[in-house]
Amino acid sequence: MTLLISNIPCWLIPLLVGVICGILGYLLGRLLGGGSDETTKQIDVDVYKNRIAKLQADLEACKSSKKSTFSGGNSSREVAGAPIDNKAVSSFAAGAVSVSSNGVTAVAFDAAAAKAVIGKKVNQDDLTVVEGIGPKIKELFHNHDVTTWAGLADCTVEKCQEILSSGGKRFEIHKPGTWPEQAKMAALGQWQKLKAWQDVLDGGK
């Protein structure tokens, strides 16, 4: 052993001792530091648990607040974003804009403009404005829930024919081919266009 050490250069011995000490120090540090890492991890877990508990408490408080806001029957409609009564909207005003299922937007009715073009008083949604529709046919359509120009514009020609046929022989002889289009013009307030077209129609055909 003495012979082996004597063959090692003097400068190499301190280097080997330093390397060995470094390795031992590293291993001891890992061994002793393991406990502190576990402690840190446990602290982090506790912190996150506390945050989750706080968020859950906030969520419950928010739910309770919403329940108290929306309680009280009709008062819930006063809250922003609450459901709107469609019937109330549709009856908001006689000239309110309405949209039928086929996209016809009825503009505000202008009785004076209609009278100036048609040449007689026109009542809003009077189906007899349509060339070919008289009081009896109007009543028949009303019985089938077609009571407005937009509603008639929403009907197909086939649907109009079905309604006429339901009234018997005296109704089914009529030809409703242009009625939905005429009703659309009335709903849109296109009185000049409607009058010009009716001037060339023969009983609505």
Side-chain angles (χ1 to χ4, degrees):
M1 184 67 175
T2 305
L3 180 62
L4 181 60
I5 294 175
S6 63
N7 290 332
I8 298 175
C10 295
W11 59 269
L12 189 57
I13 293 175
L15 180 62
L16 290 172
V17 172
V19 170
I20 292 171
C21 290
I23 293 173
L24 290 174
Y26 172 75
L27 293 175
L28 287 172
R30 289 293 301 272
L31 182 61
L32 297 176
S36 63
D37 287 343
E38 291 298 325
T39 303
T40 303
K41 289 179 181 179
Q42 184 61 43
I43 292 173
D44 290 341
V45 170
D46 291 340
V47 169
Y48 287 122
K49 283 183 178 179
N50 290 335
R51 289 181 181 176
I52 292 172
K54 185 178 184 303
L55 289 173
Q56 288 177 336
D58 291 342
L59 179 60
E60 291 302 323
C62 183
K63 287 181 179 179
S64 299
S65 176
K66 282 190 174 182
K67 286 180 181 178
S68 62
T69 300
F70 281 90
S71 62
N74 293 335
S75 62
S76 62
R77 298 189 184 277
E78 299 175 2
V79 181
I84 298 174
D85 190 337
N86 290 330
K87 291 182 180 179
V89 172
S90 62
S91 61
F92 177 73
V97 175
S98 61
V99 182
S100 68
S101 61
N102 70 352
V104 176
T105 304
V107 300
F109 176 61
D110 187 341
K115 181 179 180 180
V117 176
I118 301 300
K120 62 180 181 179
K121 181 182 178 181
V122 176
N123 294 320
Q124 184 175 6
D125 290 319
D126 182 1
L127 299 185
T128 62
V129 168
V130 174
E131 179 79 18
I133 295 182
K136 291 295 183 181
I137 294 178
K138 170 187 172 180
E139 183 180 351
L140 184 62
F141 272 77
H142 278 201
N143 292 337
H144 286 80
D145 295 324
V146 180
T147 59
T148 64
W149 295 323
L152 180 54
D154 211 20
C155 291
T156 62
V157 176
E158 291 75 17
K159 177 65 175 178
C160 292
Q161 194 65 61
E162 287 178 12
I163 294 174
L164 290 171
S165 297
S166 70
K169 295 290 186 182
R170 61 177 181 154
F171 290 106
E172 63 183 12
I173 62 174
H174 294 275
K175 304 298 180 185
T178 66
W179 293 1
E181 192 63 27
Q182 288 189 64
K184 179 180 177 181
M185 293 178 189
L188 296 175
Q190 298 173 343
W191 301 112
Q192 291 286 358
K193 186 176 179 180
L194 177 60
K195 182 65 167 61
W197 198 22
Q198 288 181 342
D199 286 344
V200 298
L201 291 176
D202 179 14
K205 299 191 285 288

